[in-house]
Amino acid sequence: MRLYAIGDLHLSFKPNRAALEALEPHPDDGLILCGDVGEKREHLALAFETAKSCFEHVFWVPGNHELYTMPGDERAAEEREGRGEDKYMECVEIARSHGVHTPEDPWVRWEGEGGPAIIALTFTLYDYSFRPPHISRENALAWAKEEGIEATDEALLHPDPFPSKDAWCHSLIAKFERRLEAAQAEGLPLIIVNHWPLRQDLVEIRQVPRFSLWCGSTLTEDWHRRFNAKVVVTGHLHVRRTDWRDGVRFEECSFGYPRQWSDAKGVGVDVNGLLREVLPGPKREETGGRTVWRRYG
């Protein structure tokens, strides 16, 4: 019984939906969906239904795209998407209806290969703190706009009922810190799962470096040490890689937009080859602790 992960399926893209159809059965294994499944209910339903048909256990954490409230919604008022926290809870209920574990559920003890361990599903958002020391929070968005960068989140991701995304982020971090502390007391290592990277030094987006503002919070930089992490699993960056910090393995497991996995497709690697093995996973001695770039899986 192995544990795999993939993030950023972005099922609003037709080629990504077609790619997901090729997912092969793993009847005894588990799969983590590491956020950014898509923006609409039907995207989540498709991902969860497909994943559950192939894997015994499926785990999901939200990314920013699941939290989008899309414009031009013509449905009746009672069927329209919520905003902010309400939209998140709508996604949680869709996941639960398909038998998928969410950050709002009791965390699962993994007894398969590489275990035992607790799969700690978290949701942190971001607070614009992944920025140079000389850039203030007040000037952060202007700093990014200097290079023509502004995340779609600024138009579609709402923090309701919180006054700002920063405030929502800090509330979430406090909530999940309490849960991590309680889980740590059980004496087992944790598999910490979050859509956004936990550490700023793992955010390397060479084409748009100032996009780092929307990539996490410095408040989670030491979570892997504080909470006895065995592996940290994230997505969001669309830069597949394996890293080691303080003896802890960090896995960025994005699938990405069609243009970002076309190179892998070109050498015969499909969605199955881009699943990341979380447990048992590679050993540090195999890489010498160096970054392993996973462009082709």
Side-chain angles (χ1 to χ4, degrees):
M1 190 164 71
R2 294 177 177 238
L3 180 64
Y4 295 89
I6 193 165
D8 303 78
L9 288 172
H10 290 290
L11 296 181
S12 59
F13 290 88
K14 186 176 180 179
N16 287 31
R17 296 195 296 274
L20 185 63
E21 292 177 359
L23 191 65
E24 297 174 351
H26 291 252
D28 298 320
D29 297 331
L31 178 66
I32 294 166
L33 296 173
C34 205
D36 277 9
V37 165
E39 297 80 14
K40 298 182 178 180
R41 295 184 178 105
E42 49 263 41
H43 298 151
L44 273 73
L46 174 60
F48 297 152
E49 182 177 347
T50 303
K52 282 293 290 184
S53 71
C54 294
F55 287 82
E56 174 70 16
H57 305 281
V58 178
F59 307 87
W60 165 81
V61 295
N64 48 310
H65 281 251
E66 283 96 333
L67 303 175
Y68 285 177
T69 301
M70 304 303 290
D73 191 340
E74 300 298 330
R75 290 174 293 185
E78 63 272 15
E79 296 180 349
R80 290 177 189 160
E81 296 175 343
R83 289 165 58 106
E85 194 168 54
D86 286 344
K87 179 64 187 294
Y88 166 55
M89 291 308 300
E90 289 173 11
C91 296
V92 167
E93 291 308 315
I94 295 171
R96 287 172 170 169
S97 72
H98 287 84
V100 172
H101 302 279
T102 83
E104 299 306 310
D105 300 319
W107 290 342
V108 171
R109 176 178 171 133
W110 180 259
E111 298 287 0
E113 292 190 56
I118 294 173
I119 302 178
L121 304 179
T122 67
F123 166 35
T124 64
L125 206 57
Y126 52 83
D127 61 3
Y128 306 90
S129 59
F130 283 3
R131 61 181 191 268
H134 68 281
I135 301 298
S136 68
R137 170 64 185 92
E138 291 72 20
N139 295 326
L141 291 176
W143 170 75
K145 286 181 181 179
E146 286 176 359
E147 295 196 352
I149 299 169
E150 183 175 38
T152 306
D153 294 22
E154 295 305 308
L156 299 181
L157 201 166
H158 307 285
D160 310 36
F162 296 89
S164 66
K165 287 191 277 288
D166 311 54
W168 191 10
C169 169
H170 295 163
S171 175
L172 289 166
I173 287 174
K175 168 184 173 177
F176 283 101
E177 280 184 333
R178 292 191 294 270
R179 292 195 63 186
L180 288 164
E181 288 171 356
Q184 184 185 30
E186 297 185 32
L188 292 177
L190 305 187
I191 310 302
I192 300 179
V193 182
N194 194 61
H195 177 68
W196 292 270
L198 299 188
R199 293 180 56 85
Q200 186 173 2
D201 63 1
L202 296 177
V203 177
E204 187 173 353
I205 321 172
R206 294 174 182 175
Q207 293 184 327
V208 284
R210 296 191 185 189
F211 189 78
S212 63
L213 285 184
W214 294 273
C215 290
S217 170
T218 55
L219 296 175
T220 63
E221 296 260 333
D222 64 350
W223 274 15
H224 66 294
R225 293 193 304 270
R226 287 175 59 195
F227 302 120
N228 189 30
K230 182 171 185 175
V231 189
V232 175
V233 184
T234 61
H236 191 60
L237 302 181
H238 297 197
V239 182
R240 294 183 289 276
R241 57 191 282 184
T242 300
D243 291 278
W244 297 85
R245 295 290 187 276
D246 305 307
V248 177
R249 177 161 45 96
F250 286 74
E251 298 282 10
E252 206 286 355
C253 60
S254 301
F255 187 61
Y257 301 130
R259 69 180 184 276
Q260 294 168 327
W261 56 267
S262 61
D263 286 352
K265 182 179 180 181
V267 297
V269 178
D270 66 2
V271 66
N272 298 288
L274 293 177
L275 296 180
R276 188 68 47 78
E277 185 182 292
V278 175
L279 291 177
K283 298 184 182 299
R284 189 175 188 276
E285 297 76 30
E286 298 172 9
T287 66
R290 297 183 298 274
T291 296
V292 178
W293 303 97
R294 302 287 188 178
R295 185 175 184 179
Y296 301 109

